[in-house]
Amino acid sequence: MHDPLHFDAATLHAARPGRVTLVGAGPGDPELLTVKAARLIGGAKVVLHDALVGRGVLELIPRTAHRIDVGKRSGHHKLSQDGIIELMIRLARSGHELLRLKGGDPYVFGRGGEEAQALAEAGIPFEVVPGVSAAQGAGACAGIPLTHRDHATEVVCVTGHLRDGPNGTRTLDLDWPRLARPQQTVVVYMGVAALPLICERLIAHGLSADTPAALVERATLPEQRCVAGTLETLPALALVQAVKPPALLVVGTVVSLQPVLARAMALAA
């Protein structure tokens, strides 16, 4: 592993900048990589990867490649997002072919849009390779269909990342009336820390306290687990079960299908 601040990159601009490829690493299981993503990872020379990229995916990176961990974990950032973008541009301008490996899909709460925008403005050629999103992986592997004609005709995905508010408070600015509509599935990324607040707000804006809700922890990996309850009971269940990030929150009546589907899926394992 290499420290990105001491990476031995050329200081002068190359005649032509290197190509950057933003690759979706999926939700963790390396078998869920696209064929194209697996091929590109296997041939990479310089890789910048996030914290949520699965261990099995990282093992596909050639040992000869320069591997740079730029993961942002709660309370500990190896590099800021601006620092990551600056490093990407510097490496590309020095002629390096760069693979930017991101958990899930680069354009679904992966900040891939910001990185692509910065590359475009800097005149750096780039490509985006989609990946299975965390929501897709969690739903399929936990037994929670994200849509179902009898339960949900649409899916809404939001981030539950808390932001600093006035007087040291932590806030979550979401369209709560929109999220509390019936006949839909709400998927909340990065919502473990804000779980009590999310459940309280959804109930306050019209969803029944008995609405099924579940947390899917480490989706698609061998240690995956699903903690299911209701908007009223899930915060306490999560505390008792010591649910930790990464975990995805799924809210809606589709969650009521999870016990039956999960049991049937276990028979096929």
Side-chain angles (χ1 to χ4, degrees):
M1 188 164 301
H2 297 257
D3 183 341
L5 300 180
H6 292 85
F7 183 79
D8 186 20
T11 56
L12 297 177
H13 288 196
R16 296 179 61 182
R19 181 187 184 90
V20 176
T21 307
L22 306 177
V23 176
D29 183 349
E31 293 189 350
L32 294 179
L33 286 169
T34 65
V35 173
K36 185 171 186 177
R39 173 176 59 81
L40 291 170
I41 293 169
K45 295 181 179 179
V46 182
V47 180
L48 271 65
H49 67 85
D50 283 344
L52 295 182
V53 175
R55 185 167 54 249
V57 176
L58 294 177
E59 290 173 354
L60 300 177
I61 300 172
R63 293 188 178 183
T64 55
H66 291 281
R67 179 175 141 184
I68 305 171
D69 181 356
V70 295
K72 297 191 290 294
R73 298 164 179 85
S74 179
H76 178 66
H77 293 185
K78 291 181 180 293
L79 279 179
S80 67
Q81 185 62 38
D82 287 344
I84 293 171
I85 290 173
E86 181 182 353
L87 178 61
M88 290 170 59
I89 292 174
R90 178 166 63 88
L91 291 173
R93 281 179 171 166
S94 64
H96 291 283
E97 297 291 321
L98 178 65
L99 189 141
R100 176 72 172 102
L101 193 56
K102 307 180 74 64
D105 181 276
Y107 280 179
V108 181
F109 297 115
R111 304 192 74 169
E114 297 171 44
E115 294 177 7
Q117 184 180 10
L119 292 170
E121 291 173 353
I124 305 295
F126 71 93
E127 179 184 8
V128 179
V129 178
V132 174
S133 72
Q136 291 172 300
C141 294
I144 304 174
L146 298 183
T147 64
H148 188 292
R149 286 197 302 172
D150 296 332
H151 295 274
T153 57
E154 59 182 317
V155 182
V156 181
C157 296
V158 298
T159 174
H161 183 67
L162 289 164
R163 297 178 180 272
D164 292 330
N167 302 319
T169 60
R170 302 280 278 167
T171 64
L172 187 58
D173 186 18
L174 295 174
D175 186 349
W176 298 108
R178 171 70 180 85
L179 297 181
R181 292 178 184 176
Q183 287 291 307
Q184 68 179 8
T185 303
V186 176
V187 180
V188 184
Y189 287 66
M190 300 168 283
V192 174
L195 179 63
L197 173 62
I198 293 169
C199 293
E200 177 209 335
R201 294 285 176 85
L202 290 175
I203 293 171
H205 284 84
L207 279 183
S208 168
D210 293 331
T211 301
L215 285 166
V216 184
E217 183 182 65
R218 301 192 67 79
T220 78
L221 297 174
E223 58 269 32
Q224 171 188 297
R225 63 173 175 159
C226 179
V227 176
T230 66
L231 286 177
E232 184 176 41
T233 64
L234 189 59
L237 287 172
L239 192 62
V240 170
Q241 296 293 327
V243 176
K244 304 292 183 186
L248 214 65
L249 171 63
V250 186
V251 178
T253 58
V254 288
V255 176
S256 66
L257 304 174
Q258 192 273 336
V260 173
L261 298 186
R263 283 195 297 269
M265 290 165 62
L267 297 175

